[in-house]
Amino acid sequence: MDKFIVEGNGPLSGEVAASGAKNAALPILCASLLSDEPLHLTNLPKLWDIATTRKLLTQMGVDVQQPDPHECVVNAKSITTCVAPYELVRTMRASILVLGPLLAKRGEAQVSLPGGCAIGARPVDLHLMGLKAMGAEINLEGGFIHAKASRLKGAQIYFDTVTVTGTENLMMAAVLAEGETILENAAREPEVVDLARCLRAMGAKIEGDGNTTIRIQGVKNLHAATHAILPDRIETGTFLVAGAVSRGRVRVTHTEPGLLDAVLVKLQQAGAIIRTGVDFIEVDMQGRRPKAVNLHTMPHPGFPTDMQAQFMALNCLAEGVGVIKETIFENRFMHAQELLRLGADIRIEVNTAVVTGKESLTAAPIMATALRASASLVIAALAAQGETIIDRIYHMDRGYEDIEGKFAALGAKIMRVSKLM
């Protein structure tokens, strides 16, 4: 099991390129199941979760070719089974996204229930409610979702709560359904919009993505297409926050400034000078200590929950007191306990964290608990005095491509080491 050894050594400075977005790539890979013709994807991030999805598709008999580490061609014409087994689904909850495409294209699906999640409950009941409304017969048996439908029918579906994967699953199911499907209170995240763009390139008829109401006119078949995955806004934001915490200057290229409006506002409130171009964002602290910020996580276009941990790290080293309210997941402050080991001043009250900034933190052995929590620990360790050892960094490999290499390019002292199990 690998770990990081991180040494605080002053301001970060330089330029890194953002990879493709994991949270866009996963549903788009699953969308390949909707056609018997190849889907050619570029700007694909090199991550564990992507490799797991490729393995899942391959196990179903799907032909997955990878001419380049950041590119793949997926053809589901050769699919041999519509089963997504527990041993793969349990490692990555996004595997539930094969349910809608399999049911819409093949008329059946057997998908293992994802099980628990470290950062809180993410139930699939809204997915199943929508598929039932479209005429699917669904049974839960032996830990599996068994779904059947001769052909799904268009329906009007209202989500009681905003769900990104629920919106994506039902949008993919609806593109081959008979008639019109209307999704109300739909998720508006850029990754949902990117999936819609890919589906339109494949011949789907979708309108309203990026808004709360999405309309889909079902078609009989989808065709071959090529699609470039959008840049990862969370990776982009992570490096920008790291630059701010270290009082440095960091530019992230191959990204889209419009994806991070809420994050950039908070960075400006922290005292950062923000410069943007068509495909870059730069944060410059000019050697100054950041100021504490208050934030309240919300569905897009609000402040993203996936950036909450990174801003907690910022507040730990900022001037003043920052209040963070987490409204998306009920157990997403696990990183706070590890930050306390570095000497942070954090008080947790249910779903609210009150963080009093300190001039500096002190190195200590710490442990990554979840993907975004892992990034916050690296950010804090880079600003701490001494050498910090971060264990269980496999969480990071799920969502950050070569994070140590990119931080090293900014001048960070970070090293990956392997240890015996």
Side-chain angles (χ1 to χ4, degrees):
M1 189 179 294
D2 291 357
K3 60 185 176 181
F4 280 154
I5 298 176
V6 183
E7 186 175 345
N9 67 314
L12 299 178
S13 179
E15 180 176 296
V16 292
S19 299
K22 172 183 83 85
N23 290 340
L26 296 178
I28 288 172
L29 280 166
C30 296
S32 66
L33 295 167
L34 289 163
S35 175
D36 285 335
E37 298 184 20
L39 177 60
H40 183 188
L41 301 176
T42 61
N43 199 35
L44 197 69
K46 188 178 178 182
L47 303 168
W48 275 19
D49 277 7
I50 300 299
T52 300
T53 304
R54 288 201 312 266
K55 184 177 179 180
L56 174 59
L57 293 173
T58 300
Q59 188 167 307
M60 291 179 177
V62 176
D63 181 44
V64 182
Q65 301 294 325
Q66 195 165 14
D68 179 89
H70 298 100
E71 182 179 359
C72 77
V73 181
V74 191
N75 191 334
K77 184 177 182 178
S78 58
I79 190 170
T80 56
T81 179
C82 294
V83 177
Y86 175 67
E87 57 265 27
L88 289 177
V89 174
R90 70 181 176 86
T91 66
M92 188 187 65
R93 293 184 58 88
S95 302
I96 193 68
L97 288 166
V98 302
L99 178 61
L102 285 174
L103 189 57
K105 178 65 177 176
R106 310 295 167 182
E108 63 174 326
Q110 293 184 44
V111 181
S112 172
L113 287 165
C117 176
I119 62 172
R122 291 195 260 188
V124 299
D125 56 336
L126 295 179
H127 303 233
L128 305 186
M129 172 274 295
L131 292 173
K132 287 180 180 178
M134 298 170 73
E137 177 186 331
I138 295 177
N139 294 296
L140 302 180
E141 184 179 343
F144 273 80
I145 301 167
H146 297 259
K148 290 185 177 181
S150 55
R151 186 183 181 188
L152 295 173
K153 309 289 185 182
Q156 186 163 351
I157 299 165
Y158 177 83
F159 295 107
D160 290 333
T161 58
V162 177
T163 163
V164 174
T165 54
T167 299
E168 292 167 339
N169 227 342
L170 296 185
M171 186 163 64
M172 287 190 283
V175 296
L176 294 180
E178 181 181 347
E180 181 181 61
T181 298
I182 301 174
L183 304 180
E184 296 190 89
N185 197 29
R188 302 165 63 185
E189 271 68 10
E191 295 77 18
V192 173
V193 175
D194 202 39
L195 172 61
R197 280 197 292 253
C198 178
L199 292 171
R200 278 194 290 268
M202 297 170 71
K205 296 181 178 180
I206 303 172
E207 296 179 349
D209 45 293
N211 297 295
T212 56
T213 300
I214 301 176
R215 294 178 178 271
I216 305 110
Q217 297 289 341
V219 298
K220 287 191 175 181
N221 294 290
L222 298 184
H223 53 66
T226 298
H227 180 78
I229 304 296
L230 93 166
D232 195 316
R233 61 192 173 109
I234 305 304
E235 183 197 28
T236 298
T238 297
F239 284 110
L240 294 176
V241 170
V245 172
S246 71
R247 310 185 189 188
R249 182 195 63 80
V250 168
R251 175 175 289 201
V252 182
T253 62
H254 297 77
T255 192
E256 295 180 18
L259 298 175
L260 288 109
D261 290 343
V263 171
L264 297 185
V265 167
K266 290 301 174 183
L267 283 169
Q268 287 175 321
Q269 290 176 7
I273 296 171
I274 304 292
R275 303 181 183 94
T276 62
V278 174
D279 64 349
F280 77 85
I281 308 172
E282 181 180 282
V283 61
D284 188 355
M285 293 302 293
Q286 298 185 333
R288 297 188 302 268
R289 182 184 178 189
K291 299 175 184 177
V293 296
N294 300 327
L295 60 90
H296 182 162
T297 64
M298 296 179 66
H300 193 79
F303 189 90
T305 182
D306 281 353
M307 285 299 303
Q308 174 258 106
Q310 297 89 320
F311 270 84
M312 183 179 288
L314 182 147
N315 279 347
C316 287
L317 287 145
E319 179 183 339
V321 179
V323 179
I324 298 173
K325 187 172 183 180
E326 173 61 58
T327 69
I328 307 299
F329 295 117
E330 71 274 14
N331 191 26
R332 209 166 197 182
F333 285 151
M334 292 185 296
H335 47 282
Q337 296 302 316
E338 302 303 309
L339 292 170
L340 288 171
R341 290 178 54 80
L342 299 176
D345 184 346
I346 305 168
R347 187 175 77 256
I348 305 294
E349 300 173 356
V350 193
N351 68 335
T352 300
V354 180
V355 186
T356 302
K358 289 192 170 184
E359 182 69 31
S360 64
L361 300 177
T362 304
I366 52 179
M367 181 177 68
T369 55
L371 171 54
R372 306 307 172 185
S374 305
S376 74
L377 300 183
V378 173
I379 292 170
L382 287 170
Q385 296 179 5
E387 186 178 89
T388 297
I389 297 174
I390 307 176
D391 214 338
R392 296 179 67 183
I393 62 170
Y394 61 85
H395 289 292
M396 227 164 305
D397 294 329
R398 291 185 48 234
Y400 289 96
E401 179 177 350
D402 188 26
I403 190 170
E404 70 270 29
K406 292 184 179 183
F407 269 124
L410 298 174
K413 290 186 177 181
I414 179 172
M415 179 174 61
R416 179 187 292 257
V417 296
S418 297
K419 67 176 183 178
L420 296 177
M421 294 292 289

